[in-house]
Amino acid sequence: MYALARSFLFRLDAETAHGRALSALDVAHRLKLVGLMAGEHIDDPVELMGLRFPNRVGLAAGLDKNADHLDALGALGFGFVEVGTVTPKPQEGNPRPRLFRLPERGAIINRMGFNNAGVDHLVARVKAARYEGVIGINIGKNLTTPVEHAVDDYLICLEKVHAHAHYVTVNISSPNTPGLRNLQFGEQLDRLLGTLREAGHRLDQASGRRVPLAVKIAPDMSAEEVGLVAESIARSEIDAVIATNTTVSREAVAGLPHAEEQGGLSGRPVFEASNRVIQALRRELPKLPIIGVGGIDSGDSAVAKVEAGADLVQLYSGFIYRGPALVRECARDLKAAAAAKNE
Protein backbone atom coordinates (compact mmCIF):
# COMPACT_ATOMS: atom_id res chain seq x y z
CA MET A 1 0.00 0.00 0.00
CA TYR A 2 2.75 2.45 0.93
CA ALA A 3 4.76 1.65 -2.20
CA LEU A 4 1.77 2.65 -4.32
CA ALA A 5 1.26 5.87 -2.38
CA ARG A 6 4.94 6.69 -2.59
CA SER A 7 4.98 6.30 -6.37
CA PHE A 8 2.37 9.08 -6.53
CA LEU A 9 3.89 11.28 -3.83
CA PHE A 10 7.39 11.16 -5.31
CA ARG A 11 6.06 12.77 -8.48
CA LEU A 12 5.42 15.90 -6.42
CA ASP A 13 8.04 18.21 -5.01
CA ALA A 14 9.22 16.94 -1.65
CA GLU A 15 7.59 19.51 0.63
CA THR A 16 4.20 19.30 -1.11
CA ALA A 17 4.37 15.51 -0.89
CA HIS A 18 5.22 15.71 2.79
CA GLY A 19 2.16 17.81 3.56
CA ARG A 20 -0.19 15.68 1.49
CA ALA A 21 1.11 12.45 3.02
CA LEU A 22 0.48 13.70 6.54
CA SER A 23 -2.99 14.97 5.62
CA ALA A 24 -3.82 11.59 4.08
CA LEU A 25 -2.54 9.85 7.20
CA ASP A 26 -4.85 11.99 9.34
CA VAL A 27 -7.81 10.98 7.18
CA ALA A 28 -6.83 7.31 7.41
CA HIS A 29 -6.59 7.62 11.17
CA ARG A 30 -10.06 9.15 11.44
CA LEU A 31 -11.39 6.29 9.30
CA LYS A 32 -9.56 3.80 11.57
CA LEU A 33 -7.47 2.52 8.67
CA VAL A 34 -4.02 3.26 10.08
CA GLY A 35 -3.90 -0.18 11.69
CA LEU A 36 -3.97 -1.78 8.25
CA MET A 37 -0.83 0.15 7.30
CA ALA A 38 0.95 -0.31 10.61
CA GLY A 39 0.33 -4.01 11.10
CA GLU A 40 1.14 -5.62 14.43
CA HIS A 41 2.60 -3.28 17.04
CA ILE A 42 5.74 -4.69 18.62
CA ASP A 43 5.67 -4.84 22.41
CA ASP A 44 9.23 -4.55 23.70
CA PRO A 45 9.13 -2.29 26.77
CA VAL A 46 12.29 -0.47 27.81
CA GLU A 47 12.88 1.66 30.92
CA LEU A 48 15.07 4.70 30.23
CA MET A 49 15.33 8.20 31.71
CA GLY A 50 12.68 7.12 34.21
CA LEU A 51 10.24 6.56 31.34
CA ARG A 52 8.71 3.37 30.00
CA PHE A 53 9.00 3.11 26.20
CA PRO A 54 6.66 0.51 24.61
CA ASN A 55 9.44 -0.38 22.16
CA ARG A 56 12.82 0.95 21.09
CA VAL A 57 11.81 2.74 17.86
CA GLY A 58 10.80 6.39 17.81
CA LEU A 59 9.98 9.04 15.24
CA ALA A 60 12.61 11.77 15.01
CA ALA A 61 11.81 15.45 15.32
CA GLY A 62 11.29 17.38 12.10
CA LEU A 63 8.58 15.31 10.49
CA ASP A 64 5.76 16.77 12.62
CA LYS A 65 7.07 20.18 13.62
CA ASN A 66 3.82 21.46 15.12
CA ALA A 67 2.34 18.24 16.60
CA ASP A 68 -0.51 18.60 14.11
CA HIS A 69 -0.41 14.88 13.26
CA LEU A 70 0.50 13.35 16.60
CA ASP A 71 -2.43 10.94 16.89
CA ALA A 72 -2.04 9.51 13.40
CA LEU A 73 1.73 9.12 13.63
CA GLY A 74 1.46 7.65 17.10
CA ALA A 75 -0.84 4.92 15.74
CA LEU A 76 1.88 3.57 13.42
CA GLY A 77 3.58 1.48 16.09
CA PHE A 78 6.31 3.85 17.28
CA GLY A 79 7.49 3.46 20.84
CA PHE A 80 7.73 7.23 21.12
CA VAL A 81 7.17 10.31 18.97
CA GLU A 82 9.27 13.49 19.07
CA VAL A 83 7.67 16.66 17.72
CA GLY A 84 9.25 20.02 16.84
CA THR A 85 11.64 21.70 16.50
CA VAL A 86 9.53 24.48 17.97
CA THR A 87 10.56 28.08 18.66
CA PRO A 88 9.01 30.74 20.91
CA LYS A 89 7.56 32.73 18.00
CA PRO A 90 6.13 31.37 14.74
CA GLN A 91 8.48 31.62 11.79
CA GLU A 92 8.25 30.83 8.10
CA GLY A 93 11.67 29.25 7.73
CA ASN A 94 13.76 29.50 4.60
CA PRO A 95 12.32 30.16 1.11
CA ARG A 96 11.07 27.21 -0.93
CA PRO A 97 12.25 24.93 -2.41
CA ARG A 98 14.00 23.77 0.74
CA LEU A 99 13.51 19.99 0.78
CA PHE A 100 15.13 17.63 -1.73
CA ARG A 101 15.17 13.86 -2.23
CA LEU A 102 18.24 11.90 -3.30
CA PRO A 103 16.66 8.48 -3.88
CA GLU A 104 19.86 6.95 -5.26
CA ARG A 105 21.25 7.10 -1.71
CA GLY A 106 18.03 6.93 0.29
CA ALA A 107 18.79 10.48 1.41
CA ILE A 108 17.14 13.85 1.93
CA ILE A 109 18.57 17.37 2.06
CA ASN A 110 16.61 19.99 3.96
CA ARG A 111 17.14 23.62 4.75
CA MET A 112 13.74 24.19 6.33
CA GLY A 113 15.04 26.65 8.91
CA PHE A 114 12.87 25.73 11.91
CA ASN A 115 9.63 26.62 10.12
CA ASN A 116 6.90 26.20 12.73
CA ALA A 117 3.76 27.77 14.11
CA GLY A 118 5.31 28.68 17.47
CA VAL A 119 5.37 27.03 20.86
CA ASP A 120 1.84 28.07 21.88
CA HIS A 121 0.38 26.33 18.83
CA LEU A 122 2.37 23.16 19.50
CA VAL A 123 1.31 23.04 23.15
CA ALA A 124 -2.34 23.41 22.17
CA ARG A 125 -2.02 20.55 19.68
CA VAL A 126 -0.32 18.26 22.20
CA LYS A 127 -3.02 19.04 24.77
CA ALA A 128 -5.73 18.19 22.21
CA ALA A 129 -4.10 14.92 21.12
CA ARG A 130 -5.32 11.55 22.34
CA TYR A 131 -2.00 9.80 21.83
CA GLU A 132 -1.01 8.13 25.10
CA GLY A 133 2.56 7.15 24.24
CA VAL A 134 5.83 8.84 25.10
CA ILE A 135 6.07 12.35 23.65
CA GLY A 136 9.32 14.23 23.22
CA ILE A 137 9.28 17.93 22.39
CA ASN A 138 12.27 19.37 20.54
CA ILE A 139 13.01 23.05 21.23
CA GLY A 140 15.14 25.65 19.45
CA LYS A 141 15.70 29.36 18.98
CA ASN A 142 14.16 31.84 16.58
CA LEU A 143 16.25 32.97 13.63
CA THR A 144 16.09 36.60 14.75
CA THR A 145 17.38 35.86 18.25
CA PRO A 146 21.15 36.47 18.48
CA VAL A 147 23.14 33.37 19.44
CA GLU A 148 24.38 35.11 22.59
CA HIS A 149 20.75 35.34 23.75
CA ALA A 150 19.72 31.88 22.55
CA VAL A 151 19.30 30.60 26.10
CA ASP A 152 16.34 32.98 26.52
CA ASP A 153 14.45 31.29 23.67
CA TYR A 154 15.19 27.81 25.01
CA LEU A 155 13.97 28.85 28.46
CA ILE A 156 10.71 30.20 27.05
CA CYS A 157 10.08 26.95 25.21
CA LEU A 158 11.09 24.74 28.13
CA GLU A 159 8.76 26.52 30.52
CA LYS A 160 5.84 26.26 28.09
CA VAL A 161 6.29 22.62 27.05
CA HIS A 162 7.38 21.15 30.37
CA ALA A 163 3.89 20.20 31.54
CA HIS A 164 3.08 18.46 28.25
CA ALA A 165 6.26 16.55 27.40
CA HIS A 166 7.62 13.27 28.69
CA TYR A 167 11.08 14.52 27.74
CA VAL A 168 12.44 17.71 26.15
CA THR A 169 15.21 17.82 23.54
CA VAL A 170 17.51 20.82 23.22
CA ASN A 171 18.36 21.16 19.53
CA ILE A 172 21.76 22.81 19.13
CA SER A 173 22.79 20.99 15.98
CA SER A 174 20.62 22.02 13.04
CA PRO A 175 22.81 23.42 10.26
CA ASN A 176 19.97 25.59 8.99
CA THR A 177 19.93 28.28 11.68
CA PRO A 178 23.05 30.44 11.38
CA GLY A 179 25.35 30.16 14.39
CA LEU A 180 23.31 27.47 16.13
CA ARG A 181 26.05 24.83 16.03
CA ASN A 182 28.38 27.24 17.84
CA LEU A 183 26.34 26.39 20.94
CA GLN A 184 27.77 22.85 20.91
CA PHE A 185 31.11 23.82 22.41
CA GLY A 186 32.85 25.53 25.31
CA GLU A 187 31.41 28.11 27.64
CA GLN A 188 28.32 28.67 25.48
CA LEU A 189 27.33 25.01 25.81
CA ASP A 190 28.06 24.94 29.55
CA ARG A 191 25.98 28.05 30.09
CA LEU A 192 23.08 26.84 27.95
CA LEU A 193 22.86 23.35 29.43
CA GLY A 194 23.50 24.50 32.99
CA THR A 195 20.81 27.16 32.78
CA LEU A 196 18.28 24.76 31.27
CA ARG A 197 19.10 22.03 33.80
CA GLU A 198 18.54 24.50 36.65
CA ALA A 199 15.25 25.63 35.12
CA GLY A 200 14.24 22.01 34.59
CA HIS A 201 14.84 21.18 38.24
CA ARG A 202 12.72 24.16 39.29
CA LEU A 203 9.88 23.14 36.96
CA ASP A 204 10.11 19.52 38.08
CA GLN A 205 9.77 20.53 41.72
CA ALA A 206 6.87 22.88 41.04
CA SER A 207 4.96 20.29 39.01
CA GLY A 208 5.78 17.20 41.03
CA ARG A 209 6.91 15.32 37.91
CA ARG A 210 10.36 14.89 36.45
CA VAL A 211 10.83 15.73 32.77
CA PRO A 212 14.22 14.54 31.45
CA LEU A 213 16.33 16.81 29.25
CA ALA A 214 18.11 15.48 26.17
CA VAL A 215 20.50 17.32 23.87
CA LYS A 216 20.73 16.68 20.11
CA ILE A 217 24.18 16.93 18.57
CA ALA A 218 25.69 16.94 15.07
CA PRO A 219 27.58 14.14 13.28
CA ASP A 220 30.24 16.51 11.96
CA MET A 221 32.54 16.30 14.98
CA SER A 222 35.93 14.75 15.64
CA ALA A 223 36.40 12.32 18.53
CA GLU A 224 38.10 15.14 20.46
CA GLU A 225 35.10 17.43 19.93
CA VAL A 226 32.71 14.68 21.00
CA GLY A 227 34.79 14.34 24.15
CA LEU A 228 34.43 18.04 24.92
CA VAL A 229 30.67 17.89 24.37
CA ALA A 230 30.48 14.83 26.62
CA GLU A 231 32.27 16.69 29.39
CA SER A 232 29.73 19.52 29.21
CA ILE A 233 26.84 17.06 29.22
CA ALA A 234 28.24 15.32 32.29
CA ARG A 235 28.81 18.60 34.13
CA SER A 236 25.26 19.74 33.38
CA GLU A 237 23.65 16.42 34.39
CA ILE A 238 21.73 16.19 31.13
CA ASP A 239 19.65 13.00 31.00
CA ALA A 240 20.28 11.77 27.44
CA VAL A 241 21.92 12.51 24.10
CA ILE A 242 20.33 12.22 20.67
CA ALA A 243 23.01 11.39 18.12
CA THR A 244 22.82 12.69 15.53
CA ASN A 245 21.29 15.48 13.51
CA THR A 246 21.94 15.95 9.77
CA THR A 247 25.38 16.38 8.21
CA VAL A 248 26.78 19.20 6.09
CA SER A 249 29.13 16.76 4.32
CA ARG A 250 28.37 15.89 0.70
CA GLU A 251 31.11 13.30 0.19
CA ALA A 252 28.69 10.36 0.01
CA VAL A 253 26.37 12.02 -2.54
CA ALA A 254 28.81 13.94 -4.72
CA GLY A 255 27.68 14.22 -8.31
CA LEU A 256 24.03 13.33 -7.68
CA PRO A 257 21.14 15.65 -8.55
CA HIS A 258 20.52 18.12 -5.69
CA ALA A 259 23.75 17.10 -3.95
CA GLU A 260 25.01 20.69 -3.92
CA GLU A 261 21.86 22.13 -2.35
CA GLN A 262 22.52 23.90 0.93
CA GLY A 263 21.16 22.29 4.08
CA GLY A 264 21.48 19.19 6.21
CA LEU A 265 21.84 15.77 4.62
CA SER A 266 19.99 12.89 6.27
CA GLY A 267 19.41 9.25 5.43
CA ARG A 268 21.80 6.45 4.53
CA PRO A 269 24.87 8.70 3.92
CA VAL A 270 24.92 9.83 7.56
CA PHE A 271 24.72 6.30 8.99
CA GLU A 272 28.43 5.71 9.58
CA ALA A 273 29.13 9.24 10.80
CA SER A 274 26.34 9.07 13.37
CA ASN A 275 27.56 5.64 14.49
CA ARG A 276 31.07 7.00 15.05
CA VAL A 277 29.66 9.78 17.25
CA ILE A 278 27.56 7.25 19.18
CA GLN A 279 30.60 5.03 19.74
CA ALA A 280 32.64 7.98 20.98
CA LEU A 281 29.84 9.11 23.28
CA ARG A 282 29.47 5.64 24.71
CA ARG A 283 33.17 5.53 25.55
CA GLU A 284 32.96 8.93 27.25
CA LEU A 285 29.55 8.46 28.91
CA PRO A 286 29.17 4.72 29.54
CA LYS A 287 25.91 4.99 31.48
CA LEU A 288 24.14 7.88 29.77
CA PRO A 289 21.09 7.01 27.63
CA ILE A 290 21.76 7.55 23.93
CA ILE A 291 19.08 7.78 21.25
CA GLY A 292 20.61 6.87 17.89
CA VAL A 293 19.34 8.46 14.70
CA GLY A 294 20.79 8.73 11.22
CA GLY A 295 20.52 6.43 8.23
CA ILE A 296 18.30 3.71 9.66
CA ASP A 297 16.49 2.14 6.71
CA SER A 298 16.25 -1.52 7.77
CA GLY A 299 16.04 -3.71 10.82
CA ASP A 300 19.71 -4.58 10.39
CA SER A 301 20.75 -0.93 10.44
CA ALA A 302 18.66 -0.33 13.57
CA VAL A 303 20.45 -3.25 15.27
CA ALA A 304 23.81 -1.84 14.14
CA LYS A 305 22.91 1.50 15.70
CA VAL A 306 22.28 -0.20 19.03
CA GLU A 307 25.47 -2.23 18.70
CA ALA A 308 27.31 1.08 18.26
CA GLY A 309 26.03 2.12 21.69
CA ALA A 310 22.48 3.49 21.30
CA ASP A 311 19.72 2.47 23.70
CA LEU A 312 16.84 3.61 21.50
CA VAL A 313 16.62 4.64 17.84
CA GLN A 314 14.66 7.18 15.83
CA LEU A 315 13.57 7.13 12.19
CA TYR A 316 13.17 9.94 9.71
CA SER A 317 14.46 9.59 6.13
CA GLY A 318 14.14 5.81 6.11
CA PHE A 319 10.53 6.21 7.18
CA ILE A 320 9.91 8.56 4.25
CA TYR A 321 11.31 6.01 1.81
CA ARG A 322 9.90 2.81 3.31
CA GLY A 323 6.85 3.84 5.31
CA PRO A 324 5.21 2.13 8.31
CA ALA A 325 6.68 -1.29 7.52
CA LEU A 326 10.07 0.04 8.60
CA VAL A 327 8.77 0.82 12.10
CA ARG A 328 7.60 -2.74 12.62
CA GLU A 329 10.74 -4.26 11.07
CA CYS A 330 13.10 -2.25 13.25
CA ALA A 331 11.13 -2.85 16.45
CA ARG A 332 10.92 -6.59 15.72
CA ASP A 333 14.62 -6.96 14.94
CA LEU A 334 15.71 -4.91 17.95
CA LYS A 335 13.52 -7.04 20.20
CA ALA A 336 15.03 -10.21 18.75
CA ALA A 337 18.58 -8.85 19.11
CA ALA A 338 17.97 -7.93 22.76
CA ALA A 339 16.53 -11.38 23.48
CA ALA A 340 19.50 -13.10 21.85
CA LYS A 341 21.92 -10.96 23.86
CA ASN A 342 20.21 -11.90 27.11
CA GLU A 343 20.23 -15.64 26.44
Side-chain angles (χ1 to χ4, degrees):
M1 184 185 299
Y2 183 76
L4 181 63
R6 193 185 76 171
S7 66
F8 166 73
L9 291 169
F10 275 34
R11 295 173 187 159
L12 307 173
D13 78 87
E15 189 166 351
T16 299
H18 182 87
R20 291 192 182 179
L22 288 173
S23 296
L25 185 64
D26 288 338
V27 172
H29 180 66
R30 289 194 293 270
L31 295 174
K32 303 187 185 304
L33 298 175
V34 170
L36 296 175
M37 295 186 286
E40 178 189 7
H41 288 197
I42 303 300
D43 185 33
D44 179 29
V46 181
E47 299 283 340
L48 207 67
M49 299 187 286
L51 301 171
R52 184 183 185 275
F53 295 82
N55 64 53
R56 302 164 199 263
V57 180
L59 178 66
L63 196 139
D64 188 8
K65 294 178 180 293
N66 298 307
D68 288 332
H69 313 282
L70 183 54
D71 287 335
L73 290 166
L76 292 175
F78 290 106
F80 58 111
V81 174
E82 187 169 320
V83 295
T85 297
V86 69
T87 55
K89 300 174 184 177
Q91 60 183 30
E92 292 294 325
N94 292 319
R96 296 176 67 163
R98 53 193 179 178
L99 187 64
F100 308 90
R101 305 184 200 94
L102 291 79
E104 299 90 343
R105 295 290 187 273
I108 293 172
I109 291 174
N110 93 82
R111 53 170 179 264
M112 305 299 287
F114 286 174
N115 58 305
N116 74 101
V119 67
D120 291 331
H121 174 94
L122 180 139
V123 166
R125 298 303 299 156
V126 172
K127 288 170 66 175
R130 297 182 179 181
Y131 175 62
E132 296 180 350
V134 174
I135 300 172
I137 300 181
N138 187 301
I139 61 175
K141 81 168 193 72
N142 280 114
L143 174 65
T144 55
T145 301
V147 171
E148 56 268 27
H149 297 300
V151 65
D152 299 332
D153 278 13
Y154 287 100
L155 282 170
I156 291 169
C157 289
L158 177 60
E159 291 178 356
K160 290 194 173 188
V161 307
H162 182 276
H164 313 287
H166 292 97
Y167 71 90
V168 175
T169 299
V170 182
N171 187 348
I172 54 173
S173 52
S174 169
N176 299 317
T177 296
L180 189 72
R181 287 192 171 188
N182 294 337
L183 296 173
Q184 291 184 121
F185 304 105
E187 293 182 4
Q188 289 192 90
L189 181 59
D190 282 343
R191 176 173 173 260
L192 175 66
L193 297 185
T195 301
L196 292 176
R197 180 71 279 174
E198 182 179 344
H201 283 318
R202 172 176 53 80
L203 292 164
D204 290 347
Q205 291 173 356
S207 65
R209 62 187 287 269
R210 187 170 184 278
V211 177
L213 286 179
V215 60
K216 189 167 187 176
I217 64 173
D220 307 307
M221 286 192 282
S222 66
E224 180 181 2
E225 289 171 330
V226 173
L228 293 173
V229 171
E231 289 175 6
S232 291
I233 289 169
R235 282 193 296 269
S236 305
E237 299 181 350
I238 294 298
D239 299 285
V241 185
I242 299 181
T244 61
N245 213 316
T246 57
T247 180
V248 295
S249 171
R250 295 294 186 269
E251 183 178 352
V253 295
L256 293 178
H258 303 305
E260 299 305 316
E261 294 287 351
Q262 295 297 308
L265 174 69
S266 61
R268 200 179 307 139
V270 79
F271 181 73
E272 295 296 339
S274 72
N275 283 6
R276 285 193 294 271
V277 171
I278 290 167
Q279 290 165 348
L281 282 171
R282 183 51 72 211
R283 289 192 296 269
E284 299 286 342
L285 302 167
K287 296 183 178 179
L288 190 76
I290 297 174
I291 301 174
V293 54
I296 299 173
D297 59 3
S298 67
D300 287 344
S301 56
V303 171
K305 196 73 71 178
V306 170
E307 289 175 344
D311 300 285
L312 306 172
V313 302
Q314 288 180 326
L315 309 179
Y316 185 89
S317 297
F319 177 68
I320 299 298
Y321 281 100
R322 291 203 48 204
L326 180 63
V327 183
R328 184 171 63 256
E329 179 182 319
C330 291
R332 180 197 64 212
D333 287 6
L334 287 172
K335 181 177 181 178
K341 185 178 181 180
N342 293 330
E343 286 181 353

